[in-house]
Amino acid sequence: MSTSKTNAMRILDGQHISYNILSYDHQDGKIDGMNVAEKIKRAPEAVFKTLVAHSKQNLFVFVIPVHKELDLKKAAKSAGEKKIEMLPVKDLQKHTGYIRGGCSPIGMKKLYPTFIDQPALELEAIVVSAGKIGIQLELNPRDLTQIIQAQFADLTHTA
C-alpha cells in the first residue's frame, strides 16, 4: 500500500487534527462501503460514504453511513432547496477532483455546502475516504465538521 499523503491528510495535518489511516486491499474491485467497512474491521454505522448531489444552481455534499440510503427529500430540505438529485458519476471528478470510490469530503476543489448524517454526532470516531481508493481516514466527527464547515442533519431513510 502506498503511504503517500493525500490532499485530505495534508489539510488535516495543516489544521493539527488527529486521524488514523486505515488502508485496505482494493484489487478485488470491491470498493463499495459495506465491503470497505468489512475490510477495515469497522461497523457500517461508523463508516461513511461521501455523496455529491445538485440542484439547478448548486452542488451539495452529503456524508452518510455506508449501510444507509440518502433521502433526497430530506437532503433537499437540509440544503434549503426544493429538489436535488445525485450528481452523475461522470461529473464527479470535474467538480470535486475525486473519483467514485475515492471521494473524500475533505479537500474537494471547492468547499461545497456539506451535511453529515445526524447519528455521526453520537460516535467517537467516523471513517471517511482519504481521497484515494484503498485509504480511509478515521477521525472525530466534530473535527470533520470544523474542517469542512459541515452541518449535521437528518439525511437518510429510516429502515
Side-chain angles (χ1 to χ4, degrees):
M1 287 280 153
S2 161
T3 53
S4 61
K5 294 254 183 210
T6 64
N7 197 28
M9 291 176 201
R10 284 190 286 276
I11 290 168
L12 292 171
D13 290 344
Q15 296 290 318
H16 307 291
I17 291 176
S18 67
Y19 59 91
N20 292 321
I21 300 168
L22 305 169
S23 54
Y24 63 93
D25 183 6
H26 57 89
Q27 299 307 316
D28 59 6
K30 295 179 179 174
I31 60 168
D32 63 278
M34 291 300 285
N35 274 301
V36 170
E38 191 176 311
K39 289 178 181 186
I40 62 171
K41 298 177 178 26
R42 294 296 189 273
E45 296 79 19
V47 181
F48 283 62
K49 55 189 170 185
T50 304
L51 303 173
V52 182
H54 66 96
S55 64
K56 282 190 169 104
Q57 308 288 322
N58 304 301
L59 281 184
F60 300 95
V61 177
F62 298 96
V63 182
I64 66 168
V66 296
H67 67 295
K68 293 200 171 175
E69 294 287 319
L70 181 66
D71 182 320
L72 290 171
K73 283 188 169 68
K74 288 180 179 180
K77 186 179 175 195
S78 300
E81 296 282 347
K82 279 186 171 60
K83 182 183 179 202
I84 62 168
E85 50 193 47
M86 296 305 296
L87 185 71
V89 173
K90 67 177 176 55
D91 296 336
L92 189 63
Q93 191 168 13
K94 177 175 78 177
H95 292 291
T96 67
Y98 291 124
I99 60 169
R100 182 184 172 277
C103 187
S104 178
I106 308 164
M108 289 189 179
K109 286 183 174 180
K110 288 171 67 180
L111 193 61
Y112 297 110
T114 302
F115 302 88
I116 301 173
D117 200 30
Q118 195 81 40
L121 261 175
E122 298 158 25
L123 301 172
E124 196 63 37
I126 64 170
V127 177
V128 296
S129 173
K132 193 172 174 187
I133 295 173
I135 308 174
Q136 301 286 108
L137 296 175
E138 185 174 48
L139 72 164
N140 183 294
R142 285 174 178 78
D143 288 342
L144 179 61
T145 56
Q146 176 192 328
I147 199 96
I148 59 174
Q149 298 170 19
Q151 299 170 40
F152 288 101
D154 178 17
L155 301 172
T156 55
H157 293 293
T158 44

